[in-house]
């Protein structure tokens, strides 16, 4: 795939003498931006294009080019692909639209071109692509006007996108900050080379230190996982913006877990598993980019704030609290040093308010920053200088900050409302933001992403597909419990009862009482129909409940389905553990707060198997009920290990191809300080 990033020769089918037309811009760009390979315009209507010899067809070229830009339309596109494949071209960039994005017929044409290309060892980018650009070599196989409006600068960032516009918007936003990019590549319809595969390819460039990715669809999560694992090996962060919170994978089946684990939430879980930071929008995609280019490896999230404004000190501390950062407790020696260098009316505590004394003493800043930064309790530093125009020696502030950053290796960022001041700091290599809110959010993202990457899985991803044409069929509770018990799920004693005597026999073995409920695959949620009776402690109570439930079952035409009796189990909290098989990602496990309000008041997290016990523990920390697993108000902690074992049991069942499980729901899993028991279960299998 080397020709995709840096082809030695490029032919342009549909070449235009007008440098502002689609067939003319790539020629203009390559000539202006230093491309040293051969450029072959192809247009039967011209002999010269933009000063270059023009050829009537690909067959007339003096050599088979490594790459061909297809800037023609309609039926000519298929013919161009076929001719390129016949001549031994390695890469076709198809700019024309009107293919897979239009429907099944267009997809069929795409598939035919892909098959033609692959048979000849050729790769396709597109159709419907704005093109690809390598500003390291000047190989600009793109027609984007952004490269005219904002001149390029080679840099250590790759922007990869399925959308042409969304490949160049981050380019423009980063160039406005003075940051360069090497690759700006749009894959269009992903008919052959997909955006994840493009990520995998650019990661082989040793100069790339950050990848920005825009996705509208994720047809091949396996390839993205491969790219993410390669990124881990190289220490290159991936920040992804996935738009279109699709409901395609949502399963409104009998199980609540399908409604909980929507496709978009599964994408979140996938990204978290493989260390990919998921951005919330285009500004969020690029907001922290500067932070990633220094190679910083903070050990913790303790922040020191330095400002000449008390208000900024307060607002930055508030922002840190919102973002989950800790405010450093400075050592007594540090506070003593700050007391020595600061005016008597300034505060030596963190946040450190230098006050307006900075206006009269430009050297004050160079004393305060090293004093704070050398404190072992400080991992991150924010310098908030809201207004530092005329009268302030801000060039000196920038030089001092840059020198400290380079010498200490600690992350230091600046917030300032003036563009000219930010530019001076950036020239010294200091990430600069407009407000303290933006700065704190960026450094928080950076720290959390570093942790995510450290904890990321290096296990290759293999989705267990949903069987073609399969339909999900509900198993009754007794059968569901049996399947789970075989996987190690703990549960109380139980018995299927065809008559009241069998239920009373179980009561004799259960001094704490029993629960009695209907057992039919036709009624997966029994409590909604009054088919559950709990706390039965005497034979008379069992007999009365049995009669009532049986009467209601007959009214619902449930036939002679048995009742399920189970021993009452005491616990402290109801938890949900379940999962389903997603059409794209395969098995997905859900852990969260249980009971009847799992959808009305959701508190849950998703995990993609396989996962470790440590992964479960970290996931549970994100729940609102997390404090229960640490102990509150004198109560012992809930048994996290028992919940983890239950989650692993569900994962094992979902991942077993022979079991053919569509969904699993254990709700509630009753948890105490020394165990957990599945009190109810619902399983769907594919038939």
């Amino acid at each position: 795939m080397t020709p995709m990033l840096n082809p030695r020769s490029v032919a342009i089918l549909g070449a235009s003498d007008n440098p502002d037309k689609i067939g003319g811009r790539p020629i203009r760009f390559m000539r202006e931006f230093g491309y040293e390979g051969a450029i072959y315009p192809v247009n039967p209507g011209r002999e010269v294009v933009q000063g270059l010899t023009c050829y009537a067809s690909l067959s007339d070229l003096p050599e088979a080019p490594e790459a061909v830009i297809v800037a023609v339309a309609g039926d000519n596109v298929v013919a161009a692909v076929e001719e390129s494949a016949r001549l031994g071209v390695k890469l076709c960039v198809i700019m024309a639209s009107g293919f897979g994005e239009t429907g099944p017929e267009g997809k069929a044409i795409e598939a035919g071109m892909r098959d033609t290309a692959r048979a000849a060892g050729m790769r396709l980018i597109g159709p419907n692509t704005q093109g690809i650009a390598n500003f390291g070599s000047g190989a600009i196989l793109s027609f984007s006007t952004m490269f005219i409006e904002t001149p390029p600068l080679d840099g250590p960032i790759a922007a990869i996108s399925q959308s042409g516009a969304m490949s160049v918007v981050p380019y423009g936003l980063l160039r406005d900050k003075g940051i360069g990019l090497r690759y700006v590549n749009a894959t269009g319809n992903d008919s052959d080379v997909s955006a994840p595969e493009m990520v995998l390819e650019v990661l082989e460039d040793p100069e790339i230190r950050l990848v920005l990715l825009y996705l509208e669809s994720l047809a091949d999560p396996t390839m993205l996982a491969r790219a993410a694992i390669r990124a881990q090996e190289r220490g290159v962060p991936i920040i992804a913006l996935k738009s279109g919170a699709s409901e395609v994978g949502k399963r409104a089946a009998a199980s609540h877990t399908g409604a909980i684990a929507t496709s978009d939430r599964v994408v979140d879980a996938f990204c978290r598993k493989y260390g990919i930071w998921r951005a919330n929008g285009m500004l969020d995609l690029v907001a922290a980019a500067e932070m990633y280019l220094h190679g910083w490896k903070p050990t913790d999230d303790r922040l020191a704030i330095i400002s000449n404004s008390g208000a900024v000190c307060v607002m930055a501390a508030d922002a840190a609290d919102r973002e989950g950062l800790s405010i450093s407790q400075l050592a007594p020696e540090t506070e003593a040093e700050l007391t020595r260098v600061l005016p008597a009316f300034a505060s030596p505590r963190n946040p450190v308010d230098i006050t307006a004394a900075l206006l009269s003493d430009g050297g004050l800043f160079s004393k305060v920053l090293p004093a704070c930064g050398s404190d072992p309790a400080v991992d991150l530093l924010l310098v908030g200088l809201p207004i530092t125009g005329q009268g302030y020696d801000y060039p000196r502030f920038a030089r001092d900050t840059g020198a400290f950053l380079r010498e200490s290796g600690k992350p230091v960022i600046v917030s300032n409302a003036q563009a000219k001041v930010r530019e001076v700091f950036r020239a010294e290599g200091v990430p600069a933001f407009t407000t303290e809110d933006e700065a704190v959010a960026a450094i928080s993202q950076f720290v959390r992403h570093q942790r995510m990457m450290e904890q990321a899985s290096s296990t290759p991803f293999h989705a267990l597909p949903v069987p073609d044409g399969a339909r999900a069929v509900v198993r009754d509770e007794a059968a569901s419990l049996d399947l789970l018990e075989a996987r190690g799920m703990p549960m109380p004693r139980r018995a299927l009862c065809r008559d009241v005597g069998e239920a009373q026999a179980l009561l004799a073995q259960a001094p704490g009482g029993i629960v009695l409920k209907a057992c039919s695959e036709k009624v997966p949620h029994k409590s909604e129909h009054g088919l559950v009776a709990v706390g039965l402690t005497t034979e008379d109570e069992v007999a009365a409940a049995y009669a009532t439930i049986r009467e209601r079952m007959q009214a619902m035409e449930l036939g002679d389905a048995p009742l399920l009796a189970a021993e009452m189990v005491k616990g402290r909290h109801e938890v949900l553990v379940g999962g389903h098989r997603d059409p794209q990602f395969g098995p997905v496990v859900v852990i969260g707060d249980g009971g009847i309000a799992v959808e009305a008041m959701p508190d849950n997290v998703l995990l993609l198997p396989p996962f470790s016990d440590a992964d479960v523990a970290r996931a549970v920390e994100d729940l609102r009920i997390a404090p229960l697993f640490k102990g509150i108000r004198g109560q012992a902690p809930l048994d996290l290990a028992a919940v983890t074992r239950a989650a692993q049991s569900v994962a094992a069942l979902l991942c077993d191809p022979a079991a053919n499980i569509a969904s699993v729901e254990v709700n509630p899993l009753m948890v105490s300080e020394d165990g957990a028991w599945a009190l109810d279960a619902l399983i769907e299998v594919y038939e």
Side-chain angles (χ1 to χ4, degrees):
M1 290 177 61
T2 301
M4 181 168 63
L5 299 183
N6 191 22
R8 291 191 297 268
S9 53
V10 182
I12 303 91
L13 287 177
S16 174
D17 196 47
N18 185 340
D20 289 326
K21 289 190 176 295
I22 288 177
R25 283 183 197 149
I27 300 171
R28 170 186 176 176
F29 291 155
M30 285 188 282
R31 299 187 77 191
E32 287 184 3
F33 299 151
Y35 178 64
E36 296 181 353
I39 304 173
Y40 298 119
V42 178
N43 187 328
R46 290 186 172 274
E47 294 184 356
V48 177
V49 167
Q50 296 186 45
L52 299 174
T53 300
C54 186
Y55 299 86
S57 70
L58 287 175
S59 300
D60 294 327
L61 298 180
E63 63 173 330
E66 279 202 330
V68 169
I69 297 173
V70 181
V72 296
D75 295 338
N76 294 325
V77 175
V78 175
V81 170
E82 291 173 347
E83 185 177 16
S84 297
R86 180 175 57 81
L87 293 174
V89 171
K90 299 300 181 185
L91 174 71
C92 262
V93 178
I94 306 173
M95 294 176 171
S97 57
F99 292 91
E101 74 276 15
T102 64
E105 184 176 346
K107 286 185 180 295
I109 296 173
E110 277 186 7
M113 291 191 294
R114 181 182 65 242
D115 292 344
T116 297
R118 289 183 176 176
M122 182 174 74
R123 303 305 305 270
L124 301 180
I125 295 177
N128 193 30
T129 177
Q130 201 168 83
I132 59 177
N134 178 345
F135 295 111
S137 69
I140 316 300
L141 286 65
S142 170
F143 64 86
S144 174
T145 58
M146 183 68 81
F147 307 147
I148 301 171
E149 304 297 327
T150 306
L153 174 69
D154 188 21
I157 299 176
I160 310 299
S161 171
Q162 291 170 329
S163 158
M166 293 305 103
S167 70
V168 294
V169 169
Y171 165 91
L173 293 171
L174 291 172
R175 290 296 297 114
D176 285 348
K177 293 184 175 185
I179 300 172
L181 299 88
R182 173 154 295 179
Y183 301 108
V184 180
N185 295 350
T187 58
N189 290 358
D190 282 17
S191 67
D192 180 26
V193 176
S194 66
E197 187 178 5
M198 184 71 78
V199 172
L200 188 63
E201 181 64 18
V202 300
L203 284 167
E204 296 310 309
D205 186 332
E207 299 299 318
I208 292 301
R209 286 183 281 157
L210 175 65
V211 174
L212 306 178
L213 176 62
Y214 174 82
L215 296 171
E216 291 175 350
S217 63
L218 184 51
D220 188 4
T222 299
M223 181 62 72
L224 183 55
R226 283 183 58 192
I229 291 169
R230 180 63 181 134
Q232 294 170 32
E233 293 169 351
R234 283 208 49 225
V236 176
I238 299 175
I239 306 174
L241 172 55
K242 168 66 172 67
S243 64
S246 167
E247 295 297 307
V248 171
K250 182 175 177 178
R251 301 189 62 252
S255 168
H256 289 296
T257 58
I260 292 169
T262 62
S263 289
D264 199 55
R265 293 197 65 209
V266 177
V267 172
D268 279 342
F270 175 88
C271 289
R272 185 171 61 247
K273 181 181 181 74
Y274 286 103
I276 300 171
W277 184 268
R278 191 171 179 194
N280 291 319
M282 186 52 65
L283 288 177
D284 197 34
L285 182 70
V286 302
E290 295 167 87
M291 303 284 300
Y292 290 88
L293 304 182
H294 291 273
W296 288 328
K297 299 291 183 184
T299 57
D300 210 333
D301 63 359
R302 298 167 297 180
L303 176 69
I305 301 165
I306 303 169
S307 180
N308 62 333
S309 163
V312 168
C313 287
V314 173
M315 290 190 293
D318 288 346
D321 184 65
R322 287 194 301 272
E323 296 291 340
L325 297 178
S326 305
I327 299 297
S328 301
Q329 176 63 55
L330 300 179
E333 297 81 6
T334 303
E335 292 189 358
E337 175 63 13
L338 292 173
T339 300
R340 187 183 68 80
V341 301
L342 286 170
F345 50 84
S347 170
R349 294 184 177 180
N350 185 28
V352 179
D353 182 4
I354 302 178
T355 74
L358 188 61
L359 186 60
S360 57
D361 184 358
L364 194 57
F365 184 74
S366 64
K367 300 172 184 176
V368 171
L369 180 60
C372 288
S374 61
D375 192 303
V378 173
D379 306 296
L380 320 163
L381 293 108
L382 166 63
V383 176
L385 303 173
I387 301 295
T388 51
Q390 186 173 350
Y392 288 94
D393 192 0
Y394 62 85
R396 180 180 179 181
F397 303 160
R399 289 194 302 273
D400 291 344
T401 306
F404 173 79
L405 184 155
R406 289 184 289 273
E407 292 169 6
S408 71
K410 284 190 176 182
V412 185
I413 58 176
V414 168
S415 65
N416 181 272
Q418 299 154 284
K420 66 177 183 179
V421 175
R422 294 196 300 275
E423 289 174 5
V424 173
F425 275 93
R426 285 182 179 134
E428 293 291 336
V430 182
F433 302 86
T434 305
T435 68
E436 58 279 354
D437 287 326
E438 293 176 9
V440 171
I443 202 165
S444 174
Q445 173 188 319
F446 173 73
V447 171
R448 286 184 287 162
H449 194 184
Q450 292 293 320
R451 289 177 182 167
M452 183 188 294
M453 291 175 65
E454 291 168 1
Q455 298 163 357
S457 172
S458 59
T459 303
F461 183 77
H462 300 290
L464 183 63
V466 174
D468 291 338
R471 67 186 186 95
V473 177
V474 176
R475 291 285 184 255
D476 65 42
E477 184 180 350
S480 297
L481 290 169
D482 288 345
L483 282 169
L484 286 162
E485 190 171 40
R487 296 288 175 174
M489 179 76 73
M491 53 192 65
R493 283 179 290 186
R494 63 193 185 281
L496 270 178
C497 306
R498 296 286 179 181
D499 58 52
V500 69
E502 291 176 317
Q504 291 169 334
L506 180 66
L507 175 65
Q509 306 173 49
I514 66 170
V515 57
L516 196 60
K517 43 191 168 180
C519 186
S520 172
E521 68 278 1
K522 296 179 182 179
V523 188
H525 301 299
K526 298 171 285 294
S527 59
E528 298 172 11
H529 301 281
L531 300 178
V532 179
V534 300
L536 307 177
T537 59
T538 69
E539 290 189 353
D540 288 345
E541 288 176 344
V542 171
Y546 189 96
T548 299
I549 293 173
R550 180 62 72 189
E551 181 180 345
R552 289 172 180 169
M553 291 173 65
Q554 290 173 351
M556 295 174 65
E557 298 183 351
L558 296 179
D560 60 351
L563 273 63
L564 180 65
E567 182 180 11
M568 291 288 295
V569 172
K570 291 184 178 179
R572 293 220 332 259
H573 199 82
E574 295 181 347
V575 169
L576 164 72
V577 178
H580 78 289
R581 199 186 306 185
D582 183 86
Q584 279 185 298
F585 294 90
V588 181
V589 171
V590 181
I591 306 171
D593 199 5
I596 63 173
V598 292
E599 290 180 68
M601 296 185 292
D603 178 26
N604 50 72
V605 290
L606 309 185
L607 288 166
L608 302 187
F611 46 76
S612 68
D613 291 356
D615 291 332
V616 176
R618 284 191 292 266
V620 168
E621 287 179 1
D622 292 334
L623 298 173
R624 291 194 301 272
I625 62 171
L628 299 178
F629 292 93
K630 297 179 181 178
I632 60 171
R633 307 191 72 165
Q635 290 186 327
L638 292 181
D639 192 341
L640 178 59
V643 174
T644 301
R645 289 191 294 272
Q648 295 288 14
S649 296
V650 169
L653 186 58
L654 283 167
C655 292
D656 183 357
N660 228 10
I661 301 298
S663 73
V664 180
E665 182 178 304
V666 178
N667 182 26
L669 179 77
M670 182 60 74
V671 186
S672 72
E673 59 274 9
D674 57 1
W677 300 268
L679 303 191
D680 197 351
L682 175 65
I683 287 180
E684 294 175 293
V685 298
Y686 287 117
E687 288 187 350

